[in-house]
Amino acid sequence: MTEIERNDFFYVCSLIEYIARQTKNRRRVIVEALGKEGIEKQLYDAEVNHCLSFEQVSDEVIERYKIPEGDFDTITECRYEVPSFMDIGKLYSILIEDCAEPEREVDELIKIFSSFISDKISDFQTDIYYQNPSYLECSYRAGYLLD
């Protein structure tokens, strides 16, 4: 993966996290709404969209893909400091890079955001998102959180 591709994946993962928080949806709902073609479009547009606010791009994506309001709110009642959407986007982009076969990064993005690990990362009442990325990768590959 080139440095530009890394940055594009970081941006798109952060955007997915941002949209999920705005619409109170599980991250898999956003990925399903976009579909592979929509994710590829966001990756293609990422270099240009970097210059725009996340709010603007998020609003456009929500409208274009008709993303509904959900009820998966992991922030409002969180007792601890919530990591930024970009911190979480970075974590996802590291997982994708570590787990994906070359030229299969979009497929891996979809699999990761659709797996159990995504809901675990989104549970800001725990410290899962602060865990070593290697631990998260091994847990993801195992299909459950390792002890």
Side-chain angles (χ1 to χ4, degrees):
M1 189 181 292
T2 68
E3 193 61 35
I4 290 173
E5 290 170 327
R6 269 188 209 92
N7 287 335
D8 292 346
F9 272 91
F10 169 49
Y11 177 82
V12 170
C13 290
S14 297
L15 180 63
I16 291 167
E17 179 67 21
Y18 186 87
I19 292 169
R21 291 180 185 197
Q22 291 300 110
T23 61
K24 296 179 176 67
N25 277 299
R26 295 179 189 280
R27 283 58 183 159
R28 78 174 58 105
V29 171
I30 308 309
V31 168
E32 287 170 5
L34 292 171
K36 185 173 182 176
E37 190 175 295
I39 291 166
E40 288 171 342
K41 179 182 181 353
Q42 293 308 312
L43 287 164
Y44 180 82
D45 294 345
E47 276 192 85
V48 173
N49 285 346
H50 280 214
C51 301
L52 304 172
S53 71
F54 273 93
E55 293 87 352
Q56 179 182 348
V57 177
S58 172
D59 287 347
E60 291 170 4
V61 170
I62 291 167
E63 184 177 324
R64 177 181 180 140
Y65 294 93
K66 298 176 180 29
I67 298 172
E69 189 73 17
D71 61 2
F72 188 68
D73 183 1
T74 60
I75 295 175
T76 302
E77 295 184 20
C78 188
R79 298 181 318 207
Y80 307 109
E81 185 175 339
V82 175
S84 77
F85 65 93
M86 293 185 81
D87 289 338
I88 299 299
K90 186 65 173 173
L91 179 60
Y92 279 114
S93 65
I94 290 168
L95 272 172
I96 292 163
E97 186 171 8
D98 289 349
C99 295
E101 295 177 25
E103 307 301 317
R104 305 283 304 184
E105 292 88 358
V106 173
D107 295 325
E108 198 65 45
L109 180 152
I110 292 167
K111 285 171 37 180
I112 289 170
F113 275 101
S114 299
S115 76
F116 83 97
I117 201 78
S118 183
D119 284 350
K120 297 295 186 187
I121 291 169
S122 298
D123 183 356
F124 302 128
Q125 299 283 27
T126 70
D127 67 348
I128 294 299
Y129 52 88
Y130 285 121
Q131 297 298 318
N132 184 307
S134 295
Y135 167 76
L136 294 174
E137 176 188 349
C138 291
S139 293
Y140 164 68
R141 290 182 188 274
Y144 60 91
L145 289 178
L146 300 172
D147 292 333

